[in-house]
Amino acid sequence: MSSRDTQKTRDGFTFFRSFRDAVEMTDETDQLVLYKAIANYALDGSEPDISAMGALGRLCWTAISPNIKSGRKNFENGCNGGAPKGNRNAKKQPKNNPDSTEKQPGETSNRNENRNGNRNENGILEKKVAPKRAAFVAPSLEEVADFFSTIKGTRADAERFFYHFEANGWKTTKGSMKSWTAAARKWMLNEPRFANTKAPETSRETQPRYKAL
């Protein structure tokens, strides 16, 4: 006969203050019956005969018995190897097995901590704050010209690049510009496309307002 087939003896149970307060509201003749009913059912599973009790005693047992039955049921499940299948308590928690390929609770926690931050000396998890990208600052024509000289560009190339983006608010096809130096390198790679782009004239001769007579 296996150990599961042998019913174990329950040596104790939880008795709440509310039980005592409820029993003391009944007649003295019913109080002893109720105390014995609670103990006998909780320890041995013996259903009491409440027909001999008064109305208040029966009401008291009706209020107390669900809690006692629940405790008794948990004890019986424990004797049979755990909660029945489908019960939430029957779900086994994964153990920390270093040879397992499954994610372990501790491993997941450590990964999350490494990703989100580290704990300080007080054990408080400090989140890592990503550095903010510096705001874009439009360059001057001379800065552009100096940079173009380092990437084999001419003054004319620098002017075409500068006036093109100065006119459209330093925006690219994908939105606001993030790095004008990177855009300048790309400009030089695509230089044949912009060869016909003329920089705006910086000076113009004053045209006569009226035609000569």
Side-chain angles (χ1 to χ4, degrees):
M1 182 179 294
S2 65
S3 58
R4 292 188 178 182
D5 296 332
T6 303
Q7 183 66 45
K8 294 182 180 179
T9 302
R10 192 179 189 190
D11 296 326
F13 66 96
T14 303
F15 188 91
F16 297 99
R17 177 184 292 272
S18 60
F19 293 178
R20 186 200 65 179
D21 295 342
V23 171
E24 289 184 352
M25 295 174 62
T26 65
D27 298 334
E28 292 184 359
T29 55
D30 288 340
Q31 290 181 11
L32 180 59
V33 178
L34 283 169
Y35 279 124
K36 287 185 177 181
I38 293 171
N40 291 338
Y41 186 73
L43 296 174
D44 302 326
S46 301
E47 288 279 359
D49 181 10
I50 63 174
S51 61
M53 296 182 191
L56 193 57
R58 292 195 298 272
L59 180 62
C60 179
W61 173 254
T62 302
I64 294 175
S65 59
N67 192 291
I68 301 173
K69 290 180 180 179
S70 176
R72 182 71 194 179
K73 188 67 175 178
N74 291 337
F75 169 74
E76 292 175 353
N77 289 337
C79 293
N80 294 328
K85 293 183 178 180
N87 190 295
R88 292 181 180 178
N89 296 327
K91 296 180 180 179
K92 295 182 179 180
Q93 300 298 325
K95 297 181 179 179
N96 290 328
N97 183 358
D99 298 328
S100 175
T101 58
E102 296 180 359
K103 292 183 179 180
Q104 305 297 332
E107 181 184 356
T108 303
S109 177
N110 292 336
R111 287 181 180 178
N112 289 339
E113 286 186 15
N114 292 335
R115 185 183 302 128
N116 299 329
N118 297 317
R119 293 187 181 276
N120 60 20
E121 57 184 6
N122 297 323
I124 301 175
L125 183 63
E126 296 179 337
K127 290 188 175 181
K128 291 183 180 180
V129 179
K132 293 183 178 180
R133 184 186 295 273
F136 175 79
V137 178
S140 65
L141 176 58
E142 292 306 317
E143 289 177 317
V144 173
D146 289 342
F147 182 75
F148 264 77
S149 66
T150 66
I151 57 175
K152 300 181 180 181
T154 64
R155 175 79 183 191
D157 293 328
E159 289 181 353
R160 281 195 292 270
F161 173 85
F162 176 81
Y163 289 116
H164 172 79
F165 285 106
E166 182 76 7
N168 73 356
W170 293 93
K171 294 184 181 297
T172 65
T173 56
K174 296 182 179 180
S176 299
M177 183 176 293
K178 297 179 181 179
S179 173
W180 68 266
T181 55
R185 294 180 187 277
K186 185 176 180 181
W187 180 279
M188 287 302 298
L189 292 175
N190 297 327
E191 196 274 339
R193 291 175 52 196
F194 306 110
N196 297 325
T197 303
K198 296 182 179 180
E201 297 180 2
T202 55
S203 61
R204 296 182 180 179
E205 295 181 2
T206 305
Q207 301 295 328
R209 191 170 183 181
Y210 304 100
K211 292 182 178 180
L213 297 176

